[in-house]
């Protein structure tokens, strides 16, 4: 029995594996430390801060969806309540001159998210699947509507504002400049990532995966799936509250938008687009979604439409998300055969790009006639000028869509054939080694 137990235990990591593991975290910390040296503008620092907040929020959501299999449509509740409690805490600390510095305020938001998650989570986590999703949606709408009614706490439509510079200063830091807020968000982002990764390596994290995959078997071996879901829900609420508190600190305001369906939908998009099957997936998705939303909002007035279309494409053609697509290529990379796919990808990318340009041209032209029909038809979208009233614009759009679709379908069929052949050869090479 001893030999059997020892053989079933996972092998201990070697010295090189441990060095690689800790080296990755150290490298991440160095990147966060040096980013402001490379991108010192105020806009860049604000973007980096938003990305850090989105990473914590997306990873907290993935504790529910990716690790435990609970689809929530109301995760913004704990994000928003954490933000409101953080704002009220800043005002109280500043008014009473208590010697508590700003870097500890995100913990208040985290405990607020934990408190409300623990308060309502026991009932919500009785069931998973559709029942849990519908309960979370109803709760989200209830809290969001209450934000406009309970004005003494939520501040109505204007929200609650605060001045973060009035708090107790540590090492002379007032946290007025954006660079100081960036380092505060970066530090909390790194701490939260490490904590949530460590959670996935614990027995609770493994049981969350088991509940996601087969709750009946978990119950058979002596664990209560409801308790596991409840604990995961509480941890998720805690980290969501930290993200909400950091957002409130960054903007010095908390309003009803923190609690709305848009906020819950955005974190769902970020986690799923990045890839819920991998720990790094929500990180990739948060970076992608945040940067994409900031860029698209400057290029077109219907950027939400493109955002939704991209999400649909990911669901249909890449359910593993961006990270899943990248991880598919690991066998080819190990076998040194990744370059074999490049010609096929290039041939498929050209007609696909033509198809996308045609769709964007059609969308922007349609928007002119449905949203702004009385404005000048000479428009600019994605930096490209065009005349929405010209028949040539419609003809060009139709040619690009039809021709791009036919050629892209043929090209991607060839990509599939090349992929199957290359993957088979790569696996054979790896097994031979």
């Amino acid at each position: 029995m001893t030999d059997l137990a020892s053989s079933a235990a996972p092998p201990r990591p070697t010295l090189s594996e441990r060095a690689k593991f800790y080296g990755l975290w150290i490298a991440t910390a160095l990147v966060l430390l040096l980013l402001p040296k490379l991108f010192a503008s105020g806009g860049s620092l604000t973007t980096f801060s938003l990305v850090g907040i989105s990473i914590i929020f997306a990873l907290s959501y993935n504790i529910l969806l990716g690790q435990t299999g609970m689809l929530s449509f109301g995760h913004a509740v704990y994000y928003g309540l954490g933000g409101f409690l953080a704002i009220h805490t800043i005002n109280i600390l500043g008014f009473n001159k208590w010697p508590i510095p700003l870097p500890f305020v995100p913990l208040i938001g985290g405990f607020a998210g934990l408190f409300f998650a623990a308060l309502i989570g026991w009932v919500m986590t009785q069931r998973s699947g559709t029942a849990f999703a519908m309960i979370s949606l109803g709760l989200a709408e209830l809290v969001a509507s209450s934000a406009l009614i309970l004005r003494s706490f939520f501040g109505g439509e204007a929200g609650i504002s605060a001045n973060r510079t009035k708090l107790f200063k540590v090492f002379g830091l007032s946290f007025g400049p954006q660079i100081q807020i960036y380092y505060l968000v970066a530090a909390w982002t790194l701490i939260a990532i490490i904590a949530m990764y460590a959670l996935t390596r614990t027995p609770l994290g493994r049981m969350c995966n088991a509940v996601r995959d087969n709750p009946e078997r978990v119950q058979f071996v002596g664990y209560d799936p409801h308790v596991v879901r409840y604990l995961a829900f509480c941890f998720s609420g805690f980290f969501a509250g930290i993200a909400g508190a950091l957002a409130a600190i960054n903007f010095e305001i908390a309003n009803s938008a923190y609690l709305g369906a848009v906020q819950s939908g955005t974190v769902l998009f970020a986690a799923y687009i990045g890839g819920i099957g991998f720990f790094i997936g929500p990180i990739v998705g948060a970076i992608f979604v945040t940067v994409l939303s900031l860029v698209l909002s400057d290029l077109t007035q219907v950027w939400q439409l493109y955002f939704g279309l991209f999400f649909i494409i990911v669901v249909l053609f890449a359910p593993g998300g961006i990270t899943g697509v990248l991880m598919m290529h690991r066998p080819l990379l190990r076998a040194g055969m990744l370059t074999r796919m490049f010609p096929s990808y290039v041939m498929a990318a050209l007609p696909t790009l033509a198809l996308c340009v045609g769709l964007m041209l059609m969308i922007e032209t349609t928007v002119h006639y449905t949203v702004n029909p009385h404005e000048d038809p000479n428009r600019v979208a994605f930096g490209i000028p065009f005349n929405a009233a010209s028949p040539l614009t419609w003809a060009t759009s139709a040619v690009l869509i039809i021709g791009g679709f036919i050629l892209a379908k043929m090209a991607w069929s060839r990509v599939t054939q090349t992929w199957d052949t290359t993957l088979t050869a790569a696996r054979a090479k790896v097994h031979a080694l």
Side-chain angles (χ1 to χ4, degrees), residues 41-85:
S41 66
S44 299
L45 295 176
T46 301
T47 301
F48 293 148
S49 299
L50 293 177
V51 168
I53 295 168
S54 298
I55 287 174
I56 300 175
F57 194 26
L59 282 174
S60 72
Y61 184 79
N62 202 50
I63 295 177
L64 293 180
L65 181 59
Q67 296 179 28
T68 320
M70 294 187 291
L71 175 62
S72 174
F73 291 123
H75 200 54
V77 169
Y78 318 101
Y79 174 90
L81 291 175
F84 274 102
L85 263 294

Side-chain angles (χ1 to χ4, degrees), residues 183-215:
Y183 280 119
L184 174 63
V185 173
W188 270 105
T189 300
L190 186 61
I191 293 171
I193 291 175
I194 293 174
M196 282 185 272
Y197 179 79
L199 179 63
T200 65
R201 316 305 295 179
T202 61
L204 174 61
R206 300 302 190 188
M207 290 309 302
C208 288
N209 300 153
V211 168
R212 174 198 63 195
D213 297 334
N214 197 330

Side-chain angles (χ1 to χ4, degrees), residues 143-230:
V143 175
S145 61
S146 299
L148 301 176
I149 300 173
L150 305 176
R151 295 178 176 270
S152 60
F153 182 81
F154 294 105
E157 295 179 356
I160 304 292
S161 59
N163 188 346
R164 65 191 181 217
T165 62
K166 291 185 177 181
L167 268 66
F168 179 75
K169 295 178 176 58
V170 180
F171 304 115
L173 299 176
S174 66
F175 293 100
Q178 188 63 37
I179 182 67
Q180 297 180 11
I181 293 299
Y182 163 77
Y183 280 119
L184 174 63
V185 173
W188 270 105
T189 300
L190 186 61
I191 293 171
I193 291 175
I194 293 174
M196 282 185 272
Y197 179 79
L199 179 63
T200 65
R201 316 305 295 179
T202 61
L204 174 61
R206 300 302 190 188
M207 290 309 302
C208 288
N209 300 153
V211 168
R212 174 198 63 195
D213 297 334
N214 197 330
E216 290 80 10
R217 178 165 292 185
V218 169
Q219 193 170 13
F220 178 76
V221 298
Y223 291 90
D224 188 350
H226 174 218
V227 174
V228 175
R229 288 194 294 263
Y230 177 67

Side-chain angles (χ1 to χ4, degrees), residues 248-270:
I249 291 171
N250 182 59
F251 295 111
E252 295 183 291
I253 190 173
N255 53 36
S256 58
Y258 282 40
L259 302 161
V262 174
Q263 199 72 46
S264 296
T266 301
V267 72
L268 169 60
F269 287 0

Side-chain angles (χ1 to χ4, degrees), residues 344-432:
S344 299
Y345 283 152
V346 172
M347 293 299 296
L350 295 176
T352 303
L353 179 61
L355 173 62
C356 293
V357 171
L359 287 173
M360 289 188 293
L361 191 60
M362 182 192 68
I363 290 172
E364 295 296 332
T365 307
T366 305
V367 166
H368 168 72
Y369 283 102
T370 56
V371 180
N372 304 309
H374 303 296
E375 292 187 0
D376 184 6
N378 293 305
R379 301 176 58 83
V380 177
F382 299 95
I384 302 174
F386 65 95
N387 189 329
S390 173
L392 181 61
T393 302
W394 289 94
T396 302
S397 174
V399 170
L400 290 175
I401 292 175
I402 297 173
F405 175 78
I406 294 173
L407 295 177
K409 187 174 182 179
M410 296 170 56
W412 283 106
S413 297
R414 183 173 179 82
V415 168
T416 302
Q417 296 174 1
T418 307
W419 170 264
D420 293 337
T421 304
T422 307
L423 183 61
T424 301
R427 288 174 175 173
K429 183 177 180 180
V430 171
H431 287 313

